[in-house]
Amino acid sequence: MKDNRNLAIGISLLIIGVIGLSILPGMRMTMGGITGGGMLMDRHDMKEMMKGMMGALLPPGINPENLPDPQSTGAQLLAQYCTQCHELPGPGMHTAEEWPSVVDRMNQRMWMMSGQGMMRMMHDIKAPTDNELQALVAYLQRHAR
Ligand code: HEC
């Protein structure tokens, strides 16, 4: 099994590299998020690693109760999917025109890390279905800046 393990570590470094590439300026590589035992990161470690790497680029985060229309499907999907890597982004962060491309970028990451591709060791990330994605974008646009 040793080979597999090395491969997995290699791939996780690759992922970090891929994420890093898009944000080179100001990036600080912190490996502290990778747990001592090996390749699996839990969600908390993941978030910490993201914060270490891209601090200011990430949404500062709001409280789920402060979302507009907090009981709606859209608000719940947002709290479910969009807090996997960083704090909860409020719909007011972007205009209705901007949201689809932002969500698209996030969605690509979620798919990449959800094990649909070869990135299975980030086991904990879930990607939305098409319907959920539409509901998310609709919600964000409805309450956009
Ligand atoms: C797989 C990890 C991951 C998930 C899940 C994720 N994000 Fe992000 N998000 C990032 C990273 C990395 C950045 C910083 C780099 C960037 O902006 O692309 C970021 C930055 C952001 C930003 C600030 C940058 C900007 O363009 O305003 C917003 C807003 C945001 N995410 C919204 C969302 C929303 C909405 C969702 C849920 C649909 C979501 N994120 C889910 C990883 C993720």
mmCIF file of all heavy atoms in Angstrom, residues 19 23 46 50 54 57-59 78 81-86 89 93-94 99 102-103 105-106 109-110 113 125 136 140, ligand 1:
data_model
loop_
_atom_site.group_PDB
_atom_site.id
_atom_site.type_symbol
_atom_site.label_atom_id
_atom_site.label_comp_id
_atom_site.label_asym_id
_atom_site.label_seq_id
_atom_site.Cartn_x
_atom_site.Cartn_y
_atom_site.Cartn_z
ATOM 1 N N ILE A 19 -4.716 24.770 -7.240
ATOM 2 C CA ILE A 19 -5.453 25.863 -6.604
ATOM 3 C C ILE A 19 -4.562 27.089 -6.531
ATOM 4 O O ILE A 19 -4.971 28.193 -6.813
ATOM 5 C CB ILE A 19 -5.887 25.483 -5.175
ATOM 6 C CG1 ILE A 19 -6.719 24.209 -5.192
ATOM 7 C CG2 ILE A 19 -6.672 26.609 -4.534
ATOM 8 C CD1 ILE A 19 -6.926 23.629 -3.817
ATOM 9 N N ILE A 23 -3.946 31.865 -7.896
ATOM 10 C CA ILE A 23 -3.901 32.937 -6.900
ATOM 11 C C ILE A 23 -2.481 33.251 -6.499
ATOM 12 O O ILE A 23 -2.228 33.675 -5.395
ATOM 13 C CB ILE A 23 -4.721 32.588 -5.654
ATOM 14 C CG1 ILE A 23 -4.398 31.156 -5.187
ATOM 15 C CG2 ILE A 23 -6.192 32.672 -5.911
ATOM 16 C CD1 ILE A 23 -3.655 31.069 -3.928
ATOM 17 N N MET A 46 -9.093 21.605 6.024
ATOM 18 C CA MET A 46 -9.234 22.143 4.681
ATOM 19 C C MET A 46 -9.442 23.652 4.715
ATOM 20 O O MET A 46 -8.784 24.413 4.023
ATOM 21 C CB MET A 46 -10.515 21.546 4.116
ATOM 22 C CG MET A 46 -10.522 20.771 2.896
ATOM 23 S SD MET A 46 -9.728 21.271 1.493
ATOM 24 C CE MET A 46 -11.106 22.077 0.771
ATOM 25 N N MET A 50 -7.076 26.601 3.363
ATOM 26 C CA MET A 50 -7.524 27.597 2.395
ATOM 27 C C MET A 50 -7.251 29.002 2.919
ATOM 28 O O MET A 50 -6.781 29.868 2.205
ATOM 29 C CB MET A 50 -9.037 27.478 2.169
ATOM 30 C CG MET A 50 -9.416 26.281 1.378
ATOM 31 S SD MET A 50 -9.426 26.648 -0.376
ATOM 32 C CE MET A 50 -9.860 25.041 -1.012
ATOM 33 N N MET A 54 -5.068 31.631 0.963
ATOM 34 C CA MET A 54 -5.648 32.723 0.205
ATOM 35 C C MET A 54 -6.394 33.735 1.040
ATOM 36 O O MET A 54 -7.232 34.472 0.507
ATOM 37 C CB MET A 54 -6.545 32.246 -0.909
ATOM 38 C CG MET A 54 -7.042 30.860 -0.808
ATOM 39 S SD MET A 54 -7.415 30.356 -2.487
ATOM 40 C CE MET A 54 -6.632 28.809 -2.592
ATOM 41 N N LEU A 57 -8.601 36.656 -0.201
ATOM 42 C CA LEU A 57 -9.458 36.379 -1.357
ATOM 43 C C LEU A 57 -10.774 35.728 -0.946
ATOM 44 O O LEU A 57 -11.715 35.665 -1.728
ATOM 45 C CB LEU A 57 -8.744 35.417 -2.316
ATOM 46 C CG LEU A 57 -7.536 35.959 -3.053
ATOM 47 C CD1 LEU A 57 -6.861 34.838 -3.821
ATOM 48 C CD2 LEU A 57 -7.969 37.050 -4.020
ATOM 49 N N LEU A 58 -10.811 35.211 0.263
ATOM 50 C CA LEU A 58 -11.973 34.424 0.666
ATOM 51 C C LEU A 58 -13.057 35.310 1.274
ATOM 52 O O LEU A 58 -12.759 36.349 1.846
ATOM 53 C CB LEU A 58 -11.547 33.366 1.680
ATOM 54 C CG LEU A 58 -10.535 32.342 1.164
ATOM 55 C CD1 LEU A 58 -10.117 31.412 2.287
ATOM 56 C CD2 LEU A 58 -11.088 31.550 0.004
ATOM 57 N N PRO A 59 -14.304 34.871 1.146
ATOM 58 C CA PRO A 59 -15.385 35.651 1.762
ATOM 59 C C PRO A 59 -15.195 35.712 3.271
ATOM 60 O O PRO A 59 -14.827 34.713 3.876
ATOM 61 C CB PRO A 59 -16.645 34.832 1.435
ATOM 62 C CG PRO A 59 -16.261 33.867 0.375
ATOM 63 C CD PRO A 59 -14.787 33.657 0.481
ATOM 64 N N LEU A 78 -26.967 27.241 0.030
ATOM 65 C CA LEU A 78 -25.783 28.088 0.190
ATOM 66 C C LEU A 78 -25.005 27.689 1.447
ATOM 67 O O LEU A 78 -23.790 27.499 1.408
ATOM 68 C CB LEU A 78 -26.215 29.557 0.263
ATOM 69 C CG LEU A 78 -25.114 30.596 0.079
ATOM 70 C CD1 LEU A 78 -24.712 30.684 -1.384
ATOM 71 C CD2 LEU A 78 -25.576 31.970 0.558
ATOM 72 N N TYR A 81 -23.446 24.022 0.797
ATOM 73 C CA TYR A 81 -22.357 23.804 -0.156
ATOM 74 C C TYR A 81 -21.243 24.846 -0.050
ATOM 75 O O TYR A 81 -20.091 24.551 -0.300
ATOM 76 C CB TYR A 81 -22.887 23.809 -1.593
ATOM 77 C CG TYR A 81 -23.657 22.563 -1.934
ATOM 78 C CD1 TYR A 81 -25.026 22.588 -2.080
ATOM 79 C CD2 TYR A 81 -22.986 21.348 -2.107
ATOM 80 C CE1 TYR A 81 -25.730 21.435 -2.389
ATOM 81 C CE2 TYR A 81 -23.680 20.195 -2.411
ATOM 82 C CZ TYR A 81 -25.052 20.237 -2.553
ATOM 83 O OH TYR A 81 -25.738 19.098 -2.851
ATOM 84 N N CYS A 82 -21.614 26.060 0.263
ATOM 85 C CA CYS A 82 -20.641 27.143 0.099
ATOM 86 C C CYS A 82 -19.828 27.401 1.345
ATOM 87 O O CYS A 82 -19.078 28.362 1.403
ATOM 88 C CB CYS A 82 -21.360 28.402 -0.375
ATOM 89 S SG CYS A 82 -22.315 28.085 -1.873
ATOM 90 N N THR A 83 -19.990 26.551 2.360
ATOM 91 C CA THR A 83 -19.159 26.698 3.553
ATOM 92 C C THR A 83 -18.150 25.561 3.652
ATOM 93 O O THR A 83 -17.530 25.367 4.679
ATOM 94 C CB THR A 83 -20.029 26.684 4.828
ATOM 95 O OG1 THR A 83 -20.790 25.477 4.826
ATOM 96 C CG2 THR A 83 -20.960 27.863 4.869
ATOM 97 N N GLN A 84 -18.014 24.808 2.585
ATOM 98 C CA GLN A 84 -17.124 23.646 2.653
ATOM 99 C C GLN A 84 -15.654 24.051 2.636
ATOM 100 O O GLN A 84 -14.811 23.346 3.170
ATOM 101 C CB GLN A 84 -17.404 22.702 1.490
ATOM 102 C CG GLN A 84 -18.809 22.141 1.520
ATOM 103 C CD GLN A 84 -19.040 21.133 0.403
ATOM 104 O OE1 GLN A 84 -18.892 19.950 0.594
ATOM 105 N NE2 GLN A 84 -19.377 21.634 -0.787
ATOM 106 N N CYS A 85 -15.356 25.179 2.006
ATOM 107 C CA CYS A 85 -13.956 25.593 1.916
ATOM 108 C C CYS A 85 -13.692 26.924 2.598
ATOM 109 O O CYS A 85 -12.570 27.245 2.917
ATOM 110 C CB CYS A 85 -13.524 25.758 0.462
ATOM 111 S SG CYS A 85 -13.753 24.301 -0.527
ATOM 112 N N HIS A 86 -14.709 27.738 2.715
ATOM 113 C CA HIS A 86 -14.521 29.047 3.347
ATOM 114 C C HIS A 86 -15.785 29.412 4.090
ATOM 115 O O HIS A 86 -16.732 28.641 4.119
ATOM 116 C CB HIS A 86 -14.135 30.118 2.311
ATOM 117 C CG HIS A 86 -14.991 30.118 1.076
ATOM 118 N ND1 HIS A 86 -16.346 30.362 1.101
ATOM 119 C CD2 HIS A 86 -14.675 29.895 -0.219
ATOM 120 C CE1 HIS A 86 -16.820 30.302 -0.134
ATOM 121 N NE2 HIS A 86 -15.842 30.004 -0.962
ATOM 122 N N PRO A 89 -20.582 32.950 2.171
ATOM 123 C CA PRO A 89 -20.626 34.207 1.420
ATOM 124 C C PRO A 89 -22.060 34.738 1.363
ATOM 125 O O PRO A 89 -22.987 33.986 1.077
ATOM 126 C CB PRO A 89 -20.145 33.799 0.015
ATOM 127 C CG PRO A 89 -20.395 32.332 -0.086
ATOM 128 C CD PRO A 89 -20.564 31.767 1.302
ATOM 129 N N MET A 93 -22.498 40.071 -1.801
ATOM 130 C CA MET A 93 -21.105 40.235 -2.231
ATOM 131 C C MET A 93 -20.973 40.529 -3.718
ATOM 132 O O MET A 93 -19.941 41.009 -4.181
ATOM 133 C CB MET A 93 -20.289 38.973 -1.916
ATOM 134 C CG MET A 93 -19.886 38.851 -0.457
ATOM 135 S SD MET A 93 -18.803 37.415 -0.172
ATOM 136 C CE MET A 93 -17.257 37.940 -0.937
ATOM 137 N N HIS A 94 -21.994 40.169 -4.502
ATOM 138 C CA HIS A 94 -21.910 40.374 -5.957
ATOM 139 C C HIS A 94 -23.240 40.841 -6.522
ATOM 140 O O HIS A 94 -24.277 40.709 -5.894
ATOM 141 C CB HIS A 94 -21.496 39.071 -6.652
ATOM 142 C CG HIS A 94 -20.039 38.767 -6.512
ATOM 143 N ND1 HIS A 94 -19.065 39.427 -7.221
ATOM 144 C CD2 HIS A 94 -19.384 37.884 -5.717
ATOM 145 C CE1 HIS A 94 -17.874 38.952 -6.863
ATOM 146 N NE2 HIS A 94 -18.046 38.023 -5.957
ATOM 147 N N TRP A 99 -22.868 36.889 -10.288
ATOM 148 C CA TRP A 99 -22.981 35.620 -9.551
ATOM 149 C C TRP A 99 -22.805 34.360 -10.392
ATOM 150 O O TRP A 99 -22.084 33.447 -9.983
ATOM 151 C CB TRP A 99 -24.295 35.558 -8.754
ATOM 152 C CG TRP A 99 -24.156 36.130 -7.370
ATOM 153 C CD1 TRP A 99 -24.868 37.165 -6.835
ATOM 154 C CD2 TRP A 99 -23.249 35.709 -6.346
ATOM 155 N NE1 TRP A 99 -24.443 37.413 -5.549
ATOM 156 C CE2 TRP A 99 -23.458 36.536 -5.227
ATOM 157 C CE3 TRP A 99 -22.258 34.721 -6.258
ATOM 158 C CZ2 TRP A 99 -22.728 36.403 -4.041
ATOM 159 C CZ3 TRP A 99 -21.532 34.586 -5.088
ATOM 160 C CH2 TRP A 99 -21.776 35.426 -3.991
ATOM 161 N N VAL A 102 -19.176 33.510 -10.809
ATOM 162 C CA VAL A 102 -18.523 33.153 -9.535
ATOM 163 C C VAL A 102 -18.929 31.737 -9.132
ATOM 164 O O VAL A 102 -18.087 30.888 -8.810
ATOM 165 C CB VAL A 102 -18.898 34.148 -8.402
ATOM 166 C CG1 VAL A 102 -18.294 33.700 -7.075
ATOM 167 C CG2 VAL A 102 -18.412 35.549 -8.749
ATOM 168 N N VAL A 103 -20.246 31.458 -9.193
ATOM 169 C CA VAL A 103 -20.721 30.132 -8.781
ATOM 170 C C VAL A 103 -20.150 29.055 -9.705
ATOM 171 O O VAL A 103 -19.779 27.970 -9.259
ATOM 172 C CB VAL A 103 -22.271 30.082 -8.772
ATOM 173 C CG1 VAL A 103 -22.768 28.662 -8.538
ATOM 174 C CG2 VAL A 103 -22.803 31.010 -7.695
ATOM 175 N N ARG A 105 -17.249 29.097 -11.151
ATOM 176 C CA ARG A 105 -15.867 28.848 -10.739
ATOM 177 C C ARG A 105 -15.829 27.957 -9.494
ATOM 178 O O ARG A 105 -15.040 27.020 -9.399
ATOM 179 C CB ARG A 105 -15.209 30.200 -10.450
ATOM 180 C CG ARG A 105 -13.704 30.165 -10.412
ATOM 181 C CD ARG A 105 -13.121 31.574 -10.437
ATOM 182 N NE ARG A 105 -13.131 32.226 -9.148
ATOM 183 C CZ ARG A 105 -13.683 33.427 -8.907
ATOM 184 N NH1 ARG A 105 -14.278 34.113 -9.871
ATOM 185 N NH2 ARG A 105 -13.645 33.952 -7.706
ATOM 186 N N MET A 106 -16.719 28.253 -8.533
ATOM 187 C CA MET A 106 -16.762 27.459 -7.299
ATOM 188 C C MET A 106 -17.210 26.038 -7.598
ATOM 189 O O MET A 106 -16.722 25.071 -7.019
ATOM 190 C CB MET A 106 -17.725 28.092 -6.286
ATOM 191 C CG MET A 106 -17.366 29.494 -5.887
ATOM 192 S SD MET A 106 -15.706 29.592 -5.202
ATOM 193 C CE MET A 106 -15.261 31.234 -5.723
ATOM 194 N N ARG A 109 -14.533 23.815 -8.824
ATOM 195 C CA ARG A 109 -13.681 23.340 -7.733
ATOM 196 C C ARG A 109 -14.345 22.200 -6.983
ATOM 197 O O ARG A 109 -13.706 21.226 -6.625
ATOM 198 C CB ARG A 109 -13.435 24.454 -6.718
ATOM 199 C CG ARG A 109 -12.540 25.523 -7.175
ATOM 200 C CD ARG A 109 -12.018 26.270 -5.956
ATOM 201 N NE ARG A 109 -11.059 27.254 -6.372
ATOM 202 C CZ ARG A 109 -11.360 28.521 -6.619
ATOM 203 N NH1 ARG A 109 -12.586 28.956 -6.461
ATOM 204 N NH2 ARG A 109 -10.439 29.354 -7.015
ATOM 205 N N MET A 110 -15.647 22.373 -6.716
ATOM 206 C CA MET A 110 -16.331 21.343 -5.929
ATOM 207 C C MET A 110 -16.301 20.019 -6.671
ATOM 208 O O MET A 110 -16.043 18.977 -6.075
ATOM 209 C CB MET A 110 -17.771 21.769 -5.638
ATOM 210 C CG MET A 110 -17.858 22.843 -4.583
ATOM 211 S SD MET A 110 -19.545 23.164 -4.054
ATOM 212 C CE MET A 110 -20.004 24.545 -5.084
ATOM 213 N N MET A 113 -12.911 18.425 -6.541
ATOM 214 C CA MET A 113 -12.504 17.892 -5.249
ATOM 215 C C MET A 113 -13.474 16.876 -4.684
ATOM 216 O O MET A 113 -13.262 16.355 -3.601
ATOM 217 C CB MET A 113 -12.384 19.033 -4.243
ATOM 218 C CG MET A 113 -11.263 19.967 -4.573
ATOM 219 S SD MET A 113 -11.183 21.154 -3.247
ATOM 220 C CE MET A 113 -9.728 22.033 -3.691
ATOM 221 N N ILE A 125 -15.677 16.875 0.248
ATOM 222 C CA ILE A 125 -16.344 17.936 -0.507
ATOM 223 C C ILE A 125 -17.502 17.366 -1.325
ATOM 224 O O ILE A 125 -17.356 16.367 -2.011
ATOM 225 C CB ILE A 125 -15.338 18.608 -1.472
ATOM 226 C CG1 ILE A 125 -14.202 19.236 -0.693
ATOM 227 C CG2 ILE A 125 -16.028 19.635 -2.348
ATOM 228 C CD1 ILE A 125 -14.562 20.479 0.065
ATOM 229 N N LEU A 136 -29.392 27.694 -6.379
ATOM 230 C CA LEU A 136 -28.375 28.533 -5.743
ATOM 231 C C LEU A 136 -28.184 29.858 -6.480
ATOM 232 O O LEU A 136 -28.197 30.931 -5.878
ATOM 233 C CB LEU A 136 -27.038 27.801 -5.758
ATOM 234 C CG LEU A 136 -26.636 27.038 -4.506
ATOM 235 C CD1 LEU A 136 -25.409 26.198 -4.782
ATOM 236 C CD2 LEU A 136 -26.359 28.019 -3.384
ATOM 237 N N LEU A 140 -29.047 33.618 -5.160
ATOM 238 C CA LEU A 140 -28.020 34.665 -5.069
ATOM 239 C C LEU A 140 -28.419 35.883 -5.904
ATOM 240 O O LEU A 140 -28.229 37.029 -5.488
ATOM 241 C CB LEU A 140 -26.669 34.116 -5.537
ATOM 242 C CG LEU A 140 -26.007 33.128 -4.567
ATOM 243 C CD1 LEU A 140 -24.845 32.401 -5.228
ATOM 244 C CD2 LEU A 140 -25.531 33.857 -3.310
HETATM 245 C C1 HEC B 1 -14.011 23.574 -3.138
HETATM 246 C C2 HEC B 1 -13.801 24.741 -2.312
HETATM 247 C C3 HEC B 1 -14.823 25.873 -2.436
HETATM 248 C C4 HEC B 1 -16.188 25.778 -2.362
HETATM 249 C C5 HEC B 1 -17.020 24.553 -2.062
HETATM 250 C C6 HEC B 1 -16.709 27.113 -2.565
HETATM 251 N N1 HEC B 1 -15.682 27.997 -2.727
HETATM 252 FE FE1 HEC B 1 -15.845 30.010 -2.909
HETATM 253 N N2 HEC B 1 -13.825 30.186 -2.935
HETATM 254 C C7 HEC B 1 -12.928 29.139 -2.958
HETATM 255 C C8 HEC B 1 -11.587 29.653 -3.153
HETATM 256 C C9 HEC B 1 -10.321 28.798 -3.234
HETATM 257 C C10 HEC B 1 -11.697 31.071 -3.255
HETATM 258 C C11 HEC B 1 -10.581 32.115 -3.489
HETATM 259 C C12 HEC B 1 -10.151 32.185 -4.953
HETATM 260 C C13 HEC B 1 -11.246 32.649 -5.869
HETATM 261 O O1 HEC B 1 -11.878 33.690 -5.618
HETATM 262 O O2 HEC B 1 -11.507 31.943 -6.869
HETATM 263 C C14 HEC B 1 -13.122 31.361 -3.095
HETATM 264 C C15 HEC B 1 -13.633 32.639 -3.075
HETATM 265 C C16 HEC B 1 -14.986 32.940 -3.051
HETATM 266 C C17 HEC B 1 -15.529 34.274 -3.082
HETATM 267 C C18 HEC B 1 -14.700 35.587 -3.056
HETATM 268 C C19 HEC B 1 -14.131 35.874 -4.402
HETATM 269 C C20 HEC B 1 -15.136 36.514 -5.302
HETATM 270 O O3 HEC B 1 -15.090 36.260 -6.534
HETATM 271 O O4 HEC B 1 -15.977 37.290 -4.809
HETATM 272 C C21 HEC B 1 -16.902 34.159 -3.129
HETATM 273 C C22 HEC B 1 -17.930 35.257 -3.172
HETATM 274 C C23 HEC B 1 -17.199 32.739 -3.098
HETATM 275 N N3 HEC B 1 -16.017 32.025 -3.032
HETATM 276 C C24 HEC B 1 -18.486 32.224 -3.157
HETATM 277 C C25 HEC B 1 -18.782 30.859 -3.098
HETATM 278 C C26 HEC B 1 -20.106 30.320 -3.242
HETATM 279 C C27 HEC B 1 -21.375 31.125 -3.479
HETATM 280 C C28 HEC B 1 -19.995 28.976 -3.080
HETATM 281 C C29 HEC B 1 -21.121 27.932 -3.161
HETATM 282 C C30 HEC B 1 -21.814 27.868 -4.434
HETATM 283 C C31 HEC B 1 -18.588 28.669 -2.857
HETATM 284 N N4 HEC B 1 -17.890 29.840 -2.886
HETATM 285 C C32 HEC B 1 -18.070 27.406 -2.617
HETATM 286 C C33 HEC B 1 -13.227 27.801 -2.779
HETATM 287 C C34 HEC B 1 -14.503 27.285 -2.672
#
